[in-house]
Amino acid sequence: MSTKPAVDIVRFLEDRRFGWWHAKIMLLCFLMLLVEGMDYNALAVAAPSLIRGWQVSKSEIGIAFAVSNLAVLVGTLAFSALGDRFGRRLGIIVGVLLYSVPSLCTAFASSVGELYLLRFIAGLGMGGVMPNAIALLTEIAPKGLKSRIVMIPFIGIGLGVAAIGGVAAAFIPKFGWPAVFLIPGVSGLIVCVALVLWLPESIRYLTVAKPDSPQLDKALRALDPSLDASSVASGPGNHAPAARPGLGILLRRENGLMNLLLWLCFAFEYLTFIILASWLPLILETAGLSPTEASLTFAYVGLANLGTQLLIAMFLDRYHFGAMLVATLVTMACFIGFGMPGLDKTSLMAITVLLVAASGATHSALNGLVGNVYPTNIRATAVGIASGFGRAAFIGGPVLGGYLLAQALPFQTLTLLIMGPYLPVALICLLLARLYTGKVAEARALDREASA
């Protein structure tokens, strides 16, 4: 029988100083999200060339966006449950593999039917990565750094937008649209190998769900050579839950208001975000930019995202949904400026960069906050369902955007309609700001007392 003192793993991880172990996991998550950002936005930057090269309509490409986003929704729900059942690591690795191979194959597609099929398969993987990444990053974070630990790797998505915009501007004129799928496909396979070699499982997940697993010993010794599974076996809050995680825990009455507000916030915020992300190059061409100028603007957006997301990350752990509310209001102001008549090309490109960077900060803030609300044994499932409401908006958003573009509306009217869902987002942020701190404390207490 071990004579080692019992370790409260929740407190141990929260009190631990930030170090190389945290940085390694954040770097790996950053890389996989960078590739996902490239892959997800590849269709957006390829759309104008595909429409011209295949002689297809905007509506047909809009269906490709919708098919991809339907798969993202399915993948989000399926892989979040997989992450709570079998681990965050497995969910992440399978997800990256599942979006990388189809992206590689899309470079060789020759019909809209093939495009639909491959984007559907890739969407399954892209949907699976985010809830497991949020859960893993939340569970490794020291106290006071949780939102920043989550948000900083998610900057990879914005840089992925910049990278794929640069790829489109540099390679489409010379080699055509296949390059924007080939590059993220190959990059994803390389990242997948790195994840297999170096990404550890969540210690909090193993402690709660698999306390007898050899993985727990390995994970603990990698973090602190003096620890092993026997060190945490009798610690408070370190036992496996008496009941399997599931919807029953998530849907308890005391979670009802928080669930409803988060689900609505995801749905409305994602609707505007996806219309902007899916159709931005064509919106800019509609506003008078050339295809190359539109692709370059798409690239500049990703770089600006880096700055705005780092900025909001500094305030998120302190002000929570208050910081997200400010980002939402800034985005709305940028929408109004974006729709102003008479802008020259330089001004239009500049305001576009500010608009999408602010929108990206708002989007990442929501992802950075949601994981803290729920306890470990249902975290991936809860994040998956919340983001699933957003993914549902992702399905209809591109079709709605294609419809709005096809109506040849005045540009100012078009931008105000796209901005519309941010009005309820701002209101919901006000309400969530009052509930958030209490729910985070409750989730932490449940982690510490799980079936003790």
Side-chain angles (χ1 to χ4, degrees):
M1 182 175 179
S2 174
T3 60
K4 294 180 180 179
V7 175
D8 178 345
I9 202 65
V10 174
R11 177 171 293 175
F12 173 79
L13 290 172
E14 289 191 342
D15 291 346
R16 191 170 183 84
R17 295 183 63 181
F18 182 87
W20 166 244
W21 181 76
H22 302 91
K24 178 183 71 172
I25 296 173
M26 291 176 67
L27 176 61
L28 290 169
C29 289
F30 167 83
L31 291 174
M32 70 187 182
L33 292 167
L34 172 69
V35 177
E36 182 172 336
M38 293 174 64
D39 197 345
Y40 186 83
N41 290 280
L43 183 57
V45 296
S49 296
L50 280 169
I51 290 169
R52 289 188 287 266
W54 282 0
Q55 295 296 300
V56 295
S57 68
K58 294 177 182 177
S59 296
E60 287 177 288
I61 297 299
I63 292 171
F65 286 123
V67 166
S68 176
N69 290 320
L70 172 62
V72 170
L73 171 59
V74 174
T76 296
L77 298 175
F79 278 77
S80 60
L82 183 147
D84 277 336
R85 183 73 182 275
F86 300 105
R88 293 37 168 138
R89 184 177 186 272
L90 180 64
I92 288 170
I93 291 171
V94 174
V96 173
L97 183 65
L98 203 57
Y99 70 64
S100 300
V101 174
S103 181
L104 192 61
C105 295
T106 301
F108 305 98
S110 57
S111 69
V112 172
E114 292 177 9
L115 180 67
Y116 293 167
L117 175 62
L118 291 169
R119 294 314 287 172
F120 182 85
I121 298 172
L124 293 174
M126 286 185 274
V129 166
M130 190 182 77
N132 285 291
I134 290 175
L136 175 62
L137 290 164
T138 300
E139 289 161 8
I140 70 166
K143 189 175 181 180
L145 294 176
K146 291 184 179 296
S147 295
R148 276 170 280 185
I149 293 286
V150 175
M151 279 197 63
I152 290 174
F154 270 80
I155 290 170
I157 293 180
L159 290 180
V161 174
I164 205 64
V167 167
F171 289 96
I172 287 180
K174 296 180 181 179
F175 304 106
W177 61 265
V180 302
F181 295 101
L182 186 66
I183 291 174
V186 172
S187 301
L189 292 177
I190 295 171
V191 169
C192 195
V193 173
L195 293 171
V196 170
L197 293 175
W198 296 306
L199 184 69
E201 182 55 273
S202 163
I203 292 176
R204 285 175 69 168
Y205 167 79
L206 290 172
T207 303
V208 170
K210 299 180 179 181
D212 299 322
S213 169
Q215 284 182 282
L216 180 56
D217 261 333
K218 181 179 179 182
L220 286 168
R221 292 183 188 279
L223 181 58
D224 187 334
S226 68
L227 292 180
D228 58 26
S230 65
S231 303
V232 300
S234 58
N238 297 338
H239 303 290
R244 285 173 56 186
L247 289 177
I249 300 173
L250 177 63
L251 299 179
R252 287 174 178 169
R253 178 186 293 183
E254 58 266 29
N255 293 328
L257 181 58
M258 176 62 79
N259 287 340
L260 177 63
L261 291 174
L262 280 173
W263 295 346
L264 289 173
C265 194
F266 269 90
F268 286 120
E269 194 280 329
Y270 273 50
L271 180 60
T272 291
F273 182 83
I274 191 57
I275 292 175
L276 205 57
S278 299
W279 290 109
L280 182 61
L282 278 175
I283 291 172
L284 291 174
E285 288 187 29
T286 301
L289 298 186
S290 70
T292 299
E293 289 169 334
S295 293
L296 284 173
T297 303
F298 207 78
Y300 299 148
V301 159
L303 294 175
N305 263 328
L306 174 61
T308 56
Q309 291 184 45
L310 284 173
L311 180 63
I312 196 171
M314 293 171 59
F315 298 101
L316 211 59
D317 282 303
R318 183 171 181 179
Y319 298 107
H320 314 304
F321 277 96
M324 182 176 166
L325 173 61
V326 172
T328 302
L329 295 175
V330 170
T331 306
M332 293 171 66
C334 290
F335 261 114
I336 294 170
F338 183 68
M340 290 178 61
L343 292 176
D344 58 51
K345 287 187 176 183
T346 301
S347 299
L348 180 62
M349 293 173 72
I351 196 67
T352 300
V353 170
L354 293 175
L355 166 64
V356 187
S359 175
T362 304
H363 186 70
S364 294
L366 184 56
N367 290 328
L369 290 167
V370 65
N372 294 328
V373 176
Y374 300 102
T376 299
N377 63 327
I378 62 166
R379 181 170 285 120
T381 298
V383 171
I385 291 175
S387 60
F389 278 83
R391 300 301 190 180
F394 270 27
I395 298 169
V399 177
L400 176 60
Y403 172 79
L404 292 174
L405 283 168
Q407 301 310 301
L409 297 168
F411 192 67
Q412 188 173 25
T413 302
L414 176 66
T415 56
L416 291 176
L417 287 173
I418 296 172
M419 182 194 77
Y422 265 46
L423 292 170
V425 169
L427 176 60
I428 292 168
C429 284
L430 280 172
L431 298 173
L432 284 172
R434 298 179 62 87
L435 295 173
Y436 180 79
T437 302
K439 293 301 294 184
V440 171
E442 180 184 321
R444 186 175 183 273
L446 286 173
D447 274 353
R448 292 174 55 82
E449 298 170 6
S451 298

